[in-house]
């Protein structure tokens, strides 16, 4: 199989690279100075692309690779893969669902606790050497707060299960209501935001959900509300989010994703009611391995004409 | 002496007395809300030194309010309160009270541990998630501009499937267990005695517990037995990948040894809300990314304060109407 060219646009996992190199001819695009020339030169042998959350396969790349058969994404969200183009050309697409569900859901809870209880701010305070006896600052209790979940898929349900252990009442908005779950459904995002303390964004990024968190929703969440984004940066109108936080119209935010990673609005750096993470939702040693194994599994299945493990297209 | 003129019921009977030794914002609120029911005797407001004030004015006092930031309630103080029957502390910790002397004198103790349990458990879980998923470290990384210049942060460690050893399965420990179970952890514990209605595996020896755990969460109180209970042996048993979280009291851990273990990489990380000598924190910890530090904030939420005021008032009412206390501590 090592004459099969597999293109990786950016580094994403040393373990994955190592495993791909054992089995295929791995072409690391980021190491090449003349990228378009490189793609032209190798277009005859590239039969697979391994992308990630930030780098998939857009129409332009797909057009450049006439031998492309499969896009295996090292992520569960595949908003950076042009699915229509893939369908049109009969290109298969796989992602990495389930193996990262727990880690991402854990991070949502971790972000909520860090924002409400000011963990990062307190850690900074202690490290500054300024802690004086008797100094105290009230923070906000997490247990019992209403958690609103936007997108009640695998990860959304996992967030709900965890929040329930903190006695948090759960409400949600989803494309369809799920009456078998005992959570309160709201037919619109604004209504969800108006009726919860902590809004967790965890739906897929599509045309419909781009900027779903806009000024109206942010204002509905309000000066005591907290936004947790573990979905995609473009779910949130970022300039609106920044001004709401600076003006105190929103109580706080825990962000793992941004509109233009790795750029993070610097005006947020001064705020103590914000926690800023560098897209680490599924970044644990264990999950990195599990995701990589799934990518490899999908590629091996495809090139042996076996059923794909986790197909999207 | 500061004197509240409404010390009598409508029927002319004196209001029951409640003694406070030092001011405290929580007590002030309790007093404001309950001055028609109880007479709050304030030792600090008197020109007399405390001992003399107590001798002169507190002979018939049955109830004392205390906090862990007030003066320790020593045998000496108790000796000056011959009528004392109830000590209400607004802390969960009891290490500021001479428990043996209270026991000998038949003084009941009511604490606030039930109220704090949720907030403390939230803090313990928050610290654990922060250490294992590098939340504070990577937030720093982003704010320093390193995501742009250096690339991705290092991988963290998955919470699910980890064996969590809880040291002290009282109010705090049980709330921590409930939350961590929902995150997929396997719960083990050590306690003074095995708990009858709990199915988690019990380890009578804390070193054995550490050897069988990926994470240790310290939720017990500080007593002579638990002082430096988490020593070098226990830490080495926890091991290079092990994480320790402390929301109990600093002195339960041999802090010097723990710092050395962290610096040498003999344990994997720590989330600490309490320290042996607050507000002093060993500076060696400031350089470590696998450590998260909190200035003893576990119970500082407004919701906690409100609940606390209600609990204190509730305990006072119960005592003076001869009803069972709301939050009596077993002192035996």
């Amino acid at each position: 199989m090592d004459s099969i060219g597999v293109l990786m646009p950016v580094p994403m996992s040393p373990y994955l690279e190592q495993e791909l190199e054992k089995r295929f001819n791995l072409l690391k695009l980021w190491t090449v100075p003349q990228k378009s020339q490189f793609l032209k030169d190798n277009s005859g042998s590239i039969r697979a692309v391994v992308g990630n959350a930030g780098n998939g396969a857009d129409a332009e790349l797909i057009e450049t690779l006439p031998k492309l058969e499969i896009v295996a994404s090292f992520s569960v969200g595949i908003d950076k893969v042009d699915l229509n183009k893939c369908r049109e050309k009969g290109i298969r697409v796989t992602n990495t669902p389930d193996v990262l569900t727990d880690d991402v859901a854990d991070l949502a809870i971790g972000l909520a606790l860090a924002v409400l209880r000011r963990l990062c701010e307190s850690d900074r305070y202690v490290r500054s050497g300024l802690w004086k006896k008797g100094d105290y600052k009230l923070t906000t209790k997490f247990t019992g707060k209403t958690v609103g979940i936007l997108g009640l898929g695998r990860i959304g349900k996992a967030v709900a299960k965890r929040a329930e252990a903190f006695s948090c009442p759960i409400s949600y908005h989803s494309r369809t209501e799920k009456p078998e779950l005992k959570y309160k459904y709201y037919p619109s995002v604004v209504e969800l935001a108006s009726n919860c303390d902590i809004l967790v964004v965890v739906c897929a990024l599509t045309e419909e959900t781009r900027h779903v968190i806009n000024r109206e929703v942010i204002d509905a969440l309000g000066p005591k509300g907290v936004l947790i984004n573990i979905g995609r940066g473009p779910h949130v109108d970022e300039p609106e989010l920044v001004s709401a936080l600076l003006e105190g119209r929103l109580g706080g935010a825990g962000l793992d994703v941004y509109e233009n990673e790795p750029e993070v609005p610097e005006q947020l750096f001064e705020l103590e009611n914000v926690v800023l993470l560098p897209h680490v939702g599924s970044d644990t040693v264990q999950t990195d391995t599990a995701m990589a194994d799934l990518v490899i599994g999908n590629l091996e299945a495809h090139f042996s004409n076996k059923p794909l493990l986790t197909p999207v297209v | 002496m500061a004197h509240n003129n409404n010390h009598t019921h409508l029927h002319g009977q004196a209001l029951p007395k409640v003694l406070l030794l030092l001011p405290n914002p929580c007590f002030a609120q309790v007093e404001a809300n309950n001055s028609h029911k109880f007479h709050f005797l304030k030792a600090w407001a008197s020109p007399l030194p405390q001992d003399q004030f107590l001798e002169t004015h507190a002979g018939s006092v049955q109830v004392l309010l205390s906090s862990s930031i007030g003066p320790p309630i020593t045998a000496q103080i108790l000796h000056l309160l011959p009528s004392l029957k109830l000590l209400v502390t607004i802390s969960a910790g009891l290490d500021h009270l001479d428990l043996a002397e209270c026991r000998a004198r038949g003084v009941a103790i009511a604490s606030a541990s039930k109220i704090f349990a949720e907030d403390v458990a939230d803090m313990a879980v928050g610290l654990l998630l922060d250490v294992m998923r590098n939340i504070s470290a990577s937030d720093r990384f982003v704010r320093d501009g390193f995501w742009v210049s250096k690339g991705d942060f290092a991988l963290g460690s998955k919470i699910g499937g980890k064996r969590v050893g809880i040291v002290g399965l009282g109010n705090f420990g049980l709330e921590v267990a409930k939350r961590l179970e929902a995150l997929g952890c396997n719960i083990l514990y050590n306690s003074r005695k095995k708990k009858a209605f709990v199915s988690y595996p019990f380890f009578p020896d804390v070193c054995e517990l550490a050897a069988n755990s990926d994470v240790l969460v310290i939720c017990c109180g500080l007593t002579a037995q638990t002082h430096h209970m988490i020593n070098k042996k226990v830490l080495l048993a926890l091991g290079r990948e092990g994480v320790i979280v402390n929301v109990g009291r600093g002195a339960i851990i041999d802090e010097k040894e723990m710092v050395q273990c962290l610096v040498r990489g003999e344990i994997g990380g720590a989330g600490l809300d309490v320290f042996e000598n607050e507000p002093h924190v060993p500076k060696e910890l400031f350089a470590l990314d696998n450590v998260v530090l909190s200035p003893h904030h576990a119970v500082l939420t407004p919701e906690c304060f409100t609940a606390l005021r209600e609990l204190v008032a509730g305990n006072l009412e119960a005592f003076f109407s001869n009803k069972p206390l709301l939050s009596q501590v077993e002192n035996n």
Side-chain angles (χ1 to χ4, degrees):
Chain A
M1 278 202 196
D2 50 44
S3 58
I4 296 174
V6 175
L7 179 74
M8 188 183 271
V10 293
M12 53 191 73
S13 161
Y15 170 72
L16 176 57
E17 282 172 44
Q18 168 195 306
E19 292 302 303
L20 285 169
E21 276 166 340
K22 283 182 191 162
R23 297 160 170 81
F24 306 106
N25 179 22
L26 180 63
L27 301 163
K28 303 184 205 179
L29 192 61
W30 71 91
T31 62
V32 166
Q34 314 277 33
K35 292 180 171 47
S36 350
Q37 191 56 47
F38 180 82
L39 289 175
K40 278 210 192 82
D41 293 344
N42 289 282
S43 62
S45 71
I46 295 175
R47 293 167 65 186
V49 167
V50 171
N52 69 355
N55 295 270
D58 59 13
E60 195 189 327
L61 181 68
I62 293 170
E63 288 298 347
T64 315
L65 305 173
K67 302 287 189 189
L68 184 61
E69 296 170 26
I70 178 168
V71 176
S73 192
F74 184 71
S75 70
V76 65
I78 27 116
D79 42 284
K80 291 282 204 233
V81 178
D82 190 330
L83 296 178
N84 287 331
K85 200 80 188 169
C86 287
R87 280 189 197 100
E88 190 190 298
K89 292 189 168 268
I91 296 169
R92 307 302 306 275
V93 178
T94 65
N95 63 350
T96 58
D98 298 316
V99 294
L100 47 61
T101 298
D102 288 337
D103 272 356
V104 181
D106 288 346
L107 198 73
I109 301 295
L111 276 169
L113 284 164
V115 174
L116 267 75
R117 302 300 302 274
R118 296 289 191 265
L119 293 181
C120 306
E121 163 74 8
S122 298
D123 179 84
R124 270 195 294 275
Y125 171 64
V126 175
R127 278 170 207 260
S128 70
L130 293 174
W131 182 15
K132 289 187 295 296
K133 187 99 185 148
D135 244 9
Y136 72 90
K137 175 186 254 200
L138 291 183
T139 60
T140 305
K141 186 174 177 131
F142 174 58
T143 285
K145 290 291 184 296
T146 301
V147 172
I149 302 178
L150 177 56
L152 206 60
R154 282 170 293 240
I155 303 175
K157 287 201 197 93
V159 173
K161 173 176 155 226
R162 283 153 175 73
E164 282 188 297
F166 292 79
S167 309
C168 295
I170 308 293
S171 51
Y172 71 103
H173 172 74
S174 210
R175 273 170 305 196
T176 53
E177 191 174 354
K178 297 168 207 249
E180 70 279 12
L181 298 171
K182 292 172 264 70
Y183 308 141
K184 175 134 182 70
Y185 174 77
Y186 285 97
S188 77
V189 185
V190 172
E191 282 172 88
L192 178 67
S194 306
N195 290 285
C196 70
D197 301 308
I198 301 168
L199 180 61
V200 182
V201 180
V202 59
C203 53
L205 180 64
T206 63
E207 282 304 306
E208 293 79 37
T209 61
R210 189 176 178 279
H211 281 196
V212 65
I213 308 298
N214 54 22
R215 189 181 178 110
E216 203 196 345
V217 170
I218 291 170
D219 284 342
L221 191 48
K224 293 217 171 86
V226 171
L227 179 73
I228 303 292
N229 192 2
I230 49 161
R232 285 286 181 266
H235 276 131
V236 175
D237 183 334
E238 205 160 88
E240 282 294 345
L241 173 67
V242 173
S243 65
L245 286 164
L246 292 174
E247 291 164 26
R249 284 182 288 111
L250 179 64
L255 309 173
D256 188 40
V257 286
Y258 311 84
E259 288 214 67
N260 194 22
E261 295 169 18
E263 285 165 30
V264 175
E266 286 188 19
Q267 305 98 308
L268 299 181
F269 292 1
E270 294 307 305
L271 301 179
E272 62 169 66
N273 58 341
V274 165
V275 173
L276 306 166
L277 301 185
H279 204 153
V280 293
S282 56
D283 283 5
T284 65
V285 172
Q286 298 86 338
T287 296
D288 179 86
T289 302
M291 286 167 68
D293 288 346
L294 195 47
V295 168
I296 300 285
N298 274 303
L299 289 174
E300 285 185 325
H302 173 76
F303 290 113
S304 337
N305 289 313
K306 295 210 179 81
L308 297 178
L309 305 179
T310 50
V312 175
V313 169
Chain B
M1 165 174 111
H3 205 83
N4 178 339
N5 286 321
N6 292 325
H7 289 166
T8 54
H9 286 294
L10 293 170
H11 305 288
Q13 279 179 297
L15 290 178
K17 289 187 203 158
V18 176
L19 175 64
L20 296 82
L21 297 178
L22 283 183
N24 182 293
C26 177
F27 296 158
Q29 270 299 126
V30 172
E31 189 195 350
N33 298 349
N34 294 280
S35 55
H36 55 295
K37 291 191 205 144
F38 311 110
H39 171 196
F40 291 88
L41 208 55
K42 295 182 274 236
W44 73 88
S46 167
L48 297 173
Q50 183 175 285
D51 280 6
Q52 238 187 302
F53 174 83
L54 295 183
E55 266 166 1
T56 317
H57 297 284
S60 63
V61 158
Q62 297 185 78
V63 179
L64 169 64
L65 292 190
S66 159
S67 91
S68 56
I69 58 167
I73 306 304
T74 58
Q76 259 167 308
I77 291 180
L78 292 169
H79 184 70
L80 296 169
L81 302 171
S83 309
L84 192 69
K85 295 228 173 45
L86 172 64
L87 205 161
V88 178
T89 179
I90 55 167
S91 60
L94 304 172
D95 45 292
H96 58 296
L97 309 175
D98 187 332
L99 297 177
E101 191 68 21
C102 288
R103 196 161 47 244
R105 290 171 169 275
V107 175
I109 301 173
S111 83
S113 77
K114 276 210 186 83
I115 291 196
F116 291 162
E118 288 172 344
D119 278 325
V120 174
D122 287 356
M123 175 62 85
V125 176
L127 285 171
L128 181 59
L129 282 166
D130 195 328
V131 175
M132 293 185 71
R133 299 298 302 274
N134 300 316
I135 294 177
S136 287
S138 55
D139 173 270
R140 265 198 301 278
F141 184 78
V142 170
R143 283 172 207 252
D144 284 342
F146 293 151
W147 193 18
V148 174
S149 57
K150 293 188 180 178
D152 287 337
F153 197 83
L155 295 176
S157 185
K158 188 179 168 87
I159 310 292
K162 290 293 188 294
R163 300 163 302 169
V164 175
I166 299 184
V167 181
L169 204 68
N171 284 318
F172 291 6
L174 285 168
E175 292 290 331
V176 171
K178 177 173 129 188
R179 287 156 176 73
L180 289 180
E181 275 192 301
L183 269 66
C185 295
N186 297 311
I187 308 293
L188 321 166
Y189 76 104
N190 165 265
S191 217
R192 269 170 306 198
K193 287 188 298 241
K194 188 171 196 285
K195 305 271 170 179
F197 301 104
V198 155
S199 58
Y200 309 134
F202 171 68
F203 287 80
D205 175 54
V206 77
C207 211
E208 277 287 304
L209 180 71
N212 285 279
S213 301
D214 303 302
V215 177
L216 274 187
V217 184
I218 312 303
C219 299
C220 59
L222 177 63
T223 63
Q225 292 74 39
T226 64
H227 184 268
H228 281 198
M229 174 170 70
I230 309 301
N231 54 24
K232 182 170 179 154
K233 189 158 166 265
V234 174
L235 292 168
L236 292 181
L238 181 60
R240 309 196 72 87
E241 309 276 319
V243 171
I244 188 157
V245 173
N246 193 1
V247 289
R249 281 285 180 271
I252 295 170
I253 301 179
D254 182 337
E255 198 165 272
K256 266 212 197 73
E257 281 303 336
M258 177 184 59
V259 171
Q260 284 311 301
C261 284
L262 283 163
V263 166
R264 292 195 292 250
E266 278 158 349
I267 62 172
L272 309 168
D273 185 49
V274 287
F275 305 85
E276 284 215 58
N277 192 20
E278 295 166 19
H280 172 74
V281 175
K283 287 196 172 56
E284 297 94 317
L285 299 180
F286 297 172
L288 302 175
D289 263 358
N290 58 342
V291 168
V292 178
L293 306 166
S294 169
H296 203 156
H297 270 180
V299 301
L300 291 177
T301 65
E303 295 86 342
C304 215
F305 276 17
T306 303
L308 200 56
R309 289 197 299 269
E310 288 168 2
L311 181 68
V312 171
N315 272 309
L316 294 178
E317 298 222 22
F319 176 77
F320 288 116
S321 351
N322 288 314
K323 295 212 179 82
L325 295 172
L326 302 185
S327 59
Q328 181 156 12
V329 173
E330 300 293 301
N331 185 10
N332 46 19

